[in-house]
């Protein structure tokens, strides 16, 4: 055997490299300038090379299972509906040496400071345009330049607080900036989840590797935002467009991770120049707002009037200096492609230094010389909208890519460029370096770029020691966007020395003091209240359907008087017993899922997964269950899963205002459903067997047998299901529960005049307590139902508007 062959047999890394046909097929990221394997990769490559295929499959499944259990998703558009897709993790991380990362960080800090100066000038003295460093039309015609904010200085003194840069490495090993992310950079939360999932794949290797942790970066940024508040009573919020946004999971995750309120535009209001959040305790000030919403949608009064995502008057609060926006409104102008053509000369003009990390070569066609160059070299360029913010290589802008021409445009490329010159840029065709990625159990080269995150702190810019890499779906594809089939990998910054074990907990500087829970936005309270109602409403309907189909099976599918009576009762509630799983149950549970999705930042992962599992069960069940015994068993399955969700939420939710609104909704719906059920099944016209069915639907059969030594009769049923305060299924128990929660809500302090909600509650409670089983007839139950239903209106008027 030759020496080279012997080395390949003994060295797992050599064996791995031997699997590539030529050295040109080896991923670029593995090879250093000297032509050898980069030392930072050696340990992980050796570990992977020693793994048999079945172990690789098992490890990858472990990471995927974590992402599934954590509910990580992104929303994909372009299909018939905007569907939630599983997070596309690339299981092989990208490794970068600490020294190289520090060099990248220094270059990006220079760029962040430059962008701060540029945007401050654009909304200030505008000397860059006056001195000829920027064409006036690139500013004046730019949709991201917000005229109402000209002359407005940020309350914090800075426009930029959290930025990201998309960077790529060329085949020659040099890094360059592909795009600046200054509007509302996404991905930091996903980077955290990538890290957790990837460590599940390489738990043993990660534990002994000197990989920098990410928690310290987020802890410092959290503390920085808290320090920007006007006072300790004001709050920090994260502004999200809502659940239909493609990165909403990240918004909810970051809000939980940092302990900030997740807000939508309707949660906020402006009063006397102060930004306020609508809470169940009234309006409360918000002095720091980390927006994940594009600026144009932020204020329908002064920006886009069609926006339903923003807050009327928000710009007024910004002008008053009462709120710090992260990042400042209007900073999205820095993302536009055309600016890349001018940043190199602006950097020299403002700092006297070249860009430490150059950006992708860009030519604005609004200048004669540059336009001529683009036309002459169009076949090896990408050409597109000068004011767009996405990199052209992502193929999101298909006007012209790498010399191809949009056939819908009935001109030559040269004519098109001449006619639309002010709105076009040409960029060099990108060839990205490749990184190893799994294709089955084999490592193959895939193009990649990095997204690097930076946060402004009291000590200057801090670079996240990691980030995430976007990986192309094929060896030649430059389309890295998730919407186009790309995947995402964790980025490990590896040190030669041990690294600190960072956490989100800061160092204690005094005795421990328990913090008071935060305030609850009214919209969140509303969704929690209705989540409780929808879940209980679905459970009641499922119990009724199960009881109906059990008796249908026992009767041999013959409709007895009881079944006919119950069928009419169900139909009066729009529940068709003949259509398989009734659409009312499906729709009610869909409403519950929607309500939970609106407050996803307030749910544990287990609670959300239980609700998601219930939704999947319903989709699988569809209308396949047949009437009778089959449907009864199906209802039992749904009931167990629904009870599992309710139990998880009830047992794990912190006993604060959120839990109280959820509990009030559940108790109110149970009281209302049971009152209406007794009105029907305990009525004098009800057929035989109705009272036993009422006991069964109320899940109180065992209790009835133990409490009463007589057969079921109307008095025992009314006593147990309406008037017994120890029965958790009784109406009086629900009213006691609601009353207890109401007394802890804001504005319900003792020694004050009763609120309308408290008076209605007292009236319903008292009228029920004064009844005996015999006096609680159908008319009295109807009146009680009206009083219970009115509690919802009073609660909404007091807290949910």
């Amino acid at each position: 055997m030759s020496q080279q062959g012997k080395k390949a047999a003994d060295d797992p890394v050599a064996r791995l490299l031997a699997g590539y046909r030529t050295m040109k097929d080896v991923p670029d990221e593995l090879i250093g300038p000297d032509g050898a394997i980069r030392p930072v990769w050696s340990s992980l490559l050796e570990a992977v090379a020693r793994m048999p295929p079945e172990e690789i499959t098992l490890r990858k499944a472990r990471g995927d299972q974590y992402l599934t259990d954590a509910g990580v998703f992104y929303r994909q558009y372009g299909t018939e509906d905007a569907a939630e897709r599983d997070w596309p993790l690339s299981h092989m991380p990208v490794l970068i040496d600490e020294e190289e990362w520090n060099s990248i960080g220094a270059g990006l800090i220079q760029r962040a400071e430059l962008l701060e100066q540029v945007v401050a000038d654009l909304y200030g003295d505008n000397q860059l345009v006056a001195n000829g460093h920027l064409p006036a039309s690139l500013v004046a015609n730019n949709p991201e330049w917000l005229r109402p904010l000209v002359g407005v200085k940020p309350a914090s003194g800075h426009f930029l607080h959290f930025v990201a840069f998309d960077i790529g490495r060329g085949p020659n090993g040099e890094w360059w900036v592909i795009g600046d992310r200054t509007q509302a950079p996404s991905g930091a939360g996903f980077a955290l989840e990538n890290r957790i999932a990837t460590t599940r794949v390489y738990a043993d290797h990660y534990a002994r590797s000197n990989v920098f942790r990410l928690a310290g970066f987020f802890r410092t940024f959290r503390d920085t935002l808290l320090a920007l508040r006007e006072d300790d009573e004001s709050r920090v919020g994260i502004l999200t467009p809502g659940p239909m946004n493609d990165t909403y999971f990240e918004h909810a995750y970051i809000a939980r991770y940092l302990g900030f309120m997740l807000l939508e535009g309707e949660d906020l209001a402006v009063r006397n120049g102060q930004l306020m959040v609508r809470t169940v305790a009234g309006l409360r000030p918000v002095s720091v707002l980390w927006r994940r919403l594009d600026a144009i949608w932020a204020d329908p009064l002064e920006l886009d009037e069609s926006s339903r995502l923003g807050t009327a008057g928000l710009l007024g609060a910004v002008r008053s200096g009462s709120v710090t926006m992260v990042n400042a409104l209007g900073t999205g102008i820095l993302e536009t492609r055309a600016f890349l053509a001018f940043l190199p000369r602006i950097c020299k003009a403002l700092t006297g230094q070249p860009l430490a990390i150059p950006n992708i070569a860009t030519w604005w066609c609004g200048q004669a010389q540059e336009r001529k160059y683009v036309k002459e070299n169009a076949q090896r360029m990408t050409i597109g909208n000068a004011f767009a913010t996405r990199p052209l290589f992502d193929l999101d802008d298909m006007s012209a890519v790498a010399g191809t021409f949009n056939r819908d445009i009935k001109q030559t490329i040269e004519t098109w460029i001449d006619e639309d010159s002010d709105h076009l840029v040409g960029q060099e065709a990108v060839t990205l370096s490749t990184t190893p990625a799994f294709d089955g159990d084999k490592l193959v080269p895939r193009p990649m770029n990095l997204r690097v995150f930076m946060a402004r702190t009291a000590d200057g810019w801090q670079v996240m020691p990691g980030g995430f890499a976007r990986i192309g779906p094929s060896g030649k594809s430059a389309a890295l966007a998730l919407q186009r089939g790309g995947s995402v990998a964790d980025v490990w910054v590896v040190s030669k020395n041990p690294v600190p074990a960072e956490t989100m907990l800061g160092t204690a500087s005094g005795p421990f003091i328990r913090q008071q829970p935060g305030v609850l936005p009214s919209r969140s309270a509303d969704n929690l209240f209705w989540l409780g109602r929808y879940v209980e409403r679905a459970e009641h309907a499922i119990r009724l359907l199960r009881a109906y189909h059990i008796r249908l099976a026992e009767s041999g599918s013959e409709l007895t008087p009881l079944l006919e009576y119950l069928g009419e009762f169900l139909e009066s509630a729009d529940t068709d017993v003949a259509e398989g799983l009734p659409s009312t149950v499906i729709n009610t549970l869909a409403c519950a899922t929607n309500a939970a999705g609106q407050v996803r930042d307030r749910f544990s992962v287990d609670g959300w997964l239980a609700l998601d599992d219930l939704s999947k069960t319903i989709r699988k069940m569809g209308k396949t269950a047949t009437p009778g015994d089959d449907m009864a068993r199906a209802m039992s399955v749904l009931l167990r899963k629904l009870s599992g969700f309710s139990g998880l939420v009830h047992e794990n939710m912190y006993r604060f205002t959120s839990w109280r609104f959820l509990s009030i909704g559940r108790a109110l719906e149970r009281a209302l459903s049971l009152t209406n059920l007794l009105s029907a099944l305990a009525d004098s016209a009800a057929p035989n067997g109705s009272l036993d069915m009422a006991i069964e639907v109320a899940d109180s059969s065992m209790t009835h047998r133990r409490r009463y030594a007589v057969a079921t009769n109307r008095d025992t049923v009314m006593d147990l299901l309406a008037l017994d305060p120890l029965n958790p299924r009784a109406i009086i128990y629900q009213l006691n529960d609601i009353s207890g929660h109401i007394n802890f809500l804001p504005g319900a302090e003792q020694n004050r005049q009763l609120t309308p909600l408290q008076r209605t509650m007292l009236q319903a409670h008292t009228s029920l307590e004064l009844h005996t089983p015999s006096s609680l007839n159908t008319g009295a139950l109807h009146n009680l139902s009206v009083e219970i239903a009115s509690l919802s209106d009073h609660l909404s008027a007091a807290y949910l508007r």
Side-chain angles (χ1 to χ4, degrees), residues 722-725 730-740 742-743 757-771 776 783-784 787-788 790-791:
L723 302 173
D724 191 338
I731 300 172
I732 192 69
Y733 186 96
Q734 312 312 316
L735 297 184
N736 287 337
D737 193 30
I738 296 171
S739 181
I742 288 175
N743 290 335
L757 175 61
Q758 288 175 312
R759 283 197 294 271
T760 304
M761 182 70 250
L762 181 61
Q763 180 177 340
H765 189 274
T766 302
S767 63
L768 180 59
E769 280 198 318
L770 291 176
H771 275 291
L776 195 57
N783 293 335
L784 179 62
E787 291 176 343
I788 294 173
S790 70
L791 288 173

Side-chain angles (χ1 to χ4, degrees), residues 2 13 20 121 166 194 214 269 409 509 558 653 716 738 791:
S2 66
V13 176
Y20 298 103
D121 178 79
D166 290 329
N194 287 342
L214 304 180
I409 302 175
S509 57
E558 180 182 347
M653 204 167 186
T716 62
I738 296 171
L791 288 173

Side-chain angles (χ1 to χ4, degrees), residues 280-281 520 525 529 656-664 737-750 752 755 757-758 791 794-796 798-800:
V280 295
L520 178 65
F529 171 70
F656 187 53
T657 314
S658 300
W659 172 73
R660 295 194 185 281
F661 276 94
L662 182 70
S663 299
I664 289 172
D737 193 30
I738 296 171
S739 181
H741 289 303
I742 288 175
N743 290 335
F744 280 96
L745 296 181
E749 294 85 357
Q750 293 182 351
R752 290 184 56 180
T755 65
L757 175 61
Q758 288 175 312
L791 288 173
H794 288 296
L795 186 78
S796 297
Y799 298 106
L800 307 182

